[in-house]
Amino acid sequence: MPNLHEKSAAELAGLLRDKKISAVEITKSALERINTLEPTLHSFVNVYPDLAVTMAEQADRMIQDGSARPLTGIPIAIKDNMCLKSRKTTCGSKILANFTPPYDATVVNLIKNEGMVILGSANMDEFAMGSSTETSCWGPTKNPWDTERIPGGSSGGSAAAVASCQATVALGSDTGGSIRLPASFCGVTGMKPTYGAVSRFGLVAYASSLDQIGPFARDIKDIALMLNLLCKHDPMDSTSVPVQRSDFSTFLDKKPSGMTLGVPVEFFNKLSNQDVERSLTEARKVFEKLGVKFVELSLPSLDYGIAAYYVIAPCEASSNLARYDGVKYGHRAENFDGMIDMYCRTRAEGFGPEVKRRIMLGTYALSWCYYDAYYLKAAKIRTLITQDFKKAFEGCDGIFCPVAPAPAFKIGEKIDDPIQMYLTDVFTIPVNMAGLPGISCPAGFSSDGLPIGMQIIASHFQESKLVQLVSAFQRETDHHLKHPAI
Ligand code: GLN
């Protein structure tokens, strides 16, 4: 079948159901595409053809015996920070280069039970710290729209794999924007669900109070299918919230007329890129034509989002990363003089420069005399941000804003300037601070052909509104249907 790799999960599921094609055929076509494109793009850390074909055969059996589920037989890439039993999970770090988890993450379990086909583990910034996928110890991933540019990060491999049609869908994790930013830079749709909506069990922790797993796809219909699969209560994650889940697919055809989107003045005042401004203005017109009302609103504390995040996230990271000591698993230095020296050398050899920077920032901020000045203050700002959003949602169904200040930048452009790199997340970080769901959807292209995303943020557990709004938008526009000429 021609252009099989370009089909959405919903389309492939239809073909599988009608027995027009088999899961093994779909998988082999995906593996072929990976063989052709990976030398250029490097979206994967590891590709597992043996595992993928075995899972596809299992999917075909499920289809034969009538036990198929909505996503059975669909190829997926998993970010390299989710435990995949008996396969490597490296987190883009030398310290975990040889780590083989003895168990599956809950999301991996759900994917296996669904009969999906795992193609491999997607490249990422080391321990998900970064916005460009350049901090991976395995080298950077390239943006499929322009291979001299970064794909965004930290889930850059997942976004690039979906944008280049190597994988139909992918999983990423988002602590400060790591799903939405690469989705925007690669021209795909990516959703960060509410904190507590998707289990984090088996996700290698970066900043536990902010981390959340979510899906990438080219079409909102596939995001809805993935949310149906992923949003389940899990007793293995104490922050997993046992709420009644909707069938997200039922919101795909609901008209958005009468809904209200809030426009935060602080966000738009910060915009200086004309391409982003133009795309957002045009997207707004599309919504207005669909009967969506726009209201201006103010979120004053958001200006402090980045500063507070870069205290809270490193603090949690320094504590989470204390476990990598070379004793039970991961890298261990070969030459050392006593136990303390073994810890020091192991960590010095195993962690890359950005991770070391975060560990030092976090350890400093948590130290006894500075705790009140930094961590406590940041925690208070976090509360103010949450309150600002809460007030805003009294007058609107969603908040409409950019994902990033500008389209994808060049490889190497910001890697030596951490502050510039951190500022890329100015519009995404506040969403994690408040634990809200946010989606990035293709909204246009820059004058030189780079994708530009828009972001919509909803109130806690209102992912269905995001599905409804983005679905209506994608019916009216074709940005999400364009493919990079790779
Ligand atoms: N770029 C941000 C950071 O480096 C966010 C990363 C993420 O969401 N994992 O912390």
Side-chain angles (χ1 to χ4, degrees):
M1 199 171 284
N3 296 343
L4 200 53
H5 51 272
E6 288 183 5
K7 298 212 183 304
S8 68
E11 287 168 332
L12 290 175
L15 293 171
L16 285 165
R17 220 178 301 119
D18 298 343
K19 312 235 163 47
K20 295 224 167 75
I21 196 153
S22 71
V24 170
E25 280 172 88
I26 295 175
T27 302
K28 290 202 167 147
S29 138
L31 291 170
E32 242 169 66
R33 181 118 181 122
I34 291 174
N35 267 339
T36 319
L37 294 183
E38 264 310 273
T40 314
L41 292 179
H42 190 225
S43 330
F44 288 89
V45 172
N46 283 298
V47 180
Y48 298 124
D50 59 324
L51 176 71
V53 172
T54 310
M55 292 183 96
E57 286 165 355
Q58 164 74 17
D60 281 331
R61 279 194 294 275
M62 286 171 77
I63 294 163
Q64 283 306 329
D65 69 18
S67 62
R69 314 218 1 104
L71 287 164
T72 302
I74 305 301
I76 185 168
I78 313 262
K79 187 175 179 179
D80 198 27
N81 60 353
M82 297 169 204
C83 287
L84 184 53
K85 191 177 170 179
S86 309
R87 303 278 163 163
K88 290 215 163 76
T89 296
T90 78
C91 248
S93 182
K94 213 176 133 190
I95 211 156
L96 282 177
N98 288 317
F99 175 57
T100 306
Y103 63 91
D104 279 325
T106 295
V107 289
V108 170
N109 242 324
L110 292 170
I111 282 166
K112 287 187 172 172
N113 291 338
E114 184 82 0
M116 292 185 83
V117 174
I118 297 176
L119 297 170
S121 52
N123 198 16
M124 56 181 282
D125 279 299
E126 186 177 3
F127 281 102
M129 296 173 191
S131 307
S132 64
T133 315
E134 289 170 291
T135 71
S136 167
C137 78
W138 310 110
T141 295
K142 314 279 170 64
N143 189 316
W145 293 87
D146 176 352
T147 51
E148 286 185 1
R149 290 176 192 270
I150 55 96
S154 64
S155 316
S158 304
V162 173
S164 59
C165 299
Q166 300 185 79
T168 311
V169 292
L171 284 188
S173 65
D174 190 314
T175 305
S178 280
I179 292 176
R180 290 158 291 154
L181 185 73
S184 173
F185 285 179
C186 290
V188 297
T189 306
M191 156 99 73
K192 174 224 171 281
T194 308
Y195 184 78
V198 178
S199 168
R200 289 180 299 111
F201 179 73
L203 169 72
V204 181
Y206 162 17
S208 310
S209 78
L210 301 157
D211 299 339
Q212 189 59 198
I213 292 175
F216 287 94
R218 293 183 294 269
D219 193 297
I220 186 68
K221 292 190 199 82
D222 294 359
I223 295 281
L225 290 172
M226 285 298 291
L227 289 176
N228 280 347
L229 172 67
L230 298 172
C231 294
K232 303 221 166 71
H233 176 241
D234 179 15
M236 298 298 280
D237 172 359
S238 62
T239 61
S240 164
V241 182
V243 288
Q244 188 67 32
R245 316 290 165 143
S246 356
D247 174 354
F248 294 98
S249 298
T250 60
F251 290 85
L252 289 168
D253 296 323
K254 277 202 179 152
K255 296 221 161 60
S257 52
M259 288 176 95
T260 307
L261 283 175
V263 181
V265 284
E266 289 83 0
F267 277 22
F268 282 84
N269 287 347
K270 279 199 181 63
L271 259 189
S272 57
N273 184 287
Q274 285 186 351
D275 287 325
V276 177
E277 254 189 281
R278 178 181 39 80
S279 299
L280 275 264
T281 308
E282 275 160 24
R284 179 173 169 162
K285 283 189 200 142
V286 173
F287 278 120
E288 282 170 340
K289 217 180 93 198
L290 288 164
V292 175
K293 285 199 290 285
F294 281 78
V295 289
E296 280 207 349
L297 51 85
S298 173
L299 299 163
S301 59
L302 264 56
D303 278 345
Y304 308 102
I306 294 240
Y309 172 89
Y310 276 100
V311 173
I312 292 174
C315 283
E316 292 187 20
S318 73
S319 150
N320 275 324
L321 267 49
R323 72 190 67 170
Y324 302 100
D325 55 10
V327 175
K328 289 200 178 114
Y329 55 87
H331 173 76
R332 179 188 297 177
E334 270 179 22
N335 305 310
F336 51 85
D337 181 15
M339 189 177 69
I340 303 290
D341 191 46
M342 190 274 278
Y343 291 158
C344 294
R345 282 175 194 265
T346 294
R347 290 169 68 83
E349 289 170 14
F351 290 132
E354 185 58 31
V355 175
K356 284 179 186 158
R357 181 172 9 247
R358 309 276 178 119
I359 292 174
M360 283 190 277
L361 281 172
T363 309
Y364 178 82
L366 283 179
S367 56
W368 181 71
C369 15
Y370 295 109
Y371 180 85
D372 286 3
Y374 293 110
Y375 188 80
L376 196 64
K377 205 168 220 166
K380 285 180 181 166
I381 293 173
R382 187 174 188 174
T383 304
L384 291 178
I385 292 176
T386 311
Q387 285 169 350
D388 269 5
F389 273 119
K390 205 169 167 208
K391 210 165 133 230
F393 284 121
E394 285 168 9
C396 63
D397 298 287
I399 289 170
F400 173 82
C401 60
V403 182
F409 46 90
K410 290 251 168 79
I411 293 173
E413 196 178 317
K414 297 192 182 179
I415 195 71
D416 297 322
D417 189 344
I419 303 284
Q420 281 311 312
M421 187 71 90
Y422 298 173
L423 287 172
T424 316
D425 297 316
V426 62
F427 302 128
T428 50
I429 275 176
V431 179
N432 301 71
M433 297 285 270
L436 298 166
I439 194 163
S440 168
C441 163
F445 288 86
S446 69
S447 46
D448 44 1
L450 297 170
I452 292 170
M454 63 173 173
Q455 178 174 215
I456 308 178
I457 305 159
S459 187
H460 293 114
F461 295 104
Q462 297 298 311
E463 284 84 355
S464 52
K465 283 190 181 165
L466 301 179
V467 170
Q468 183 176 351
L469 284 158
V470 169
S471 172
F473 183 83
Q474 292 193 349
R475 275 200 303 273
E476 292 294 312
T477 56
D478 64 355
H479 310 300
H480 66 290
L481 298 174
K482 302 220 165 94
H483 297 294
I486 179 117

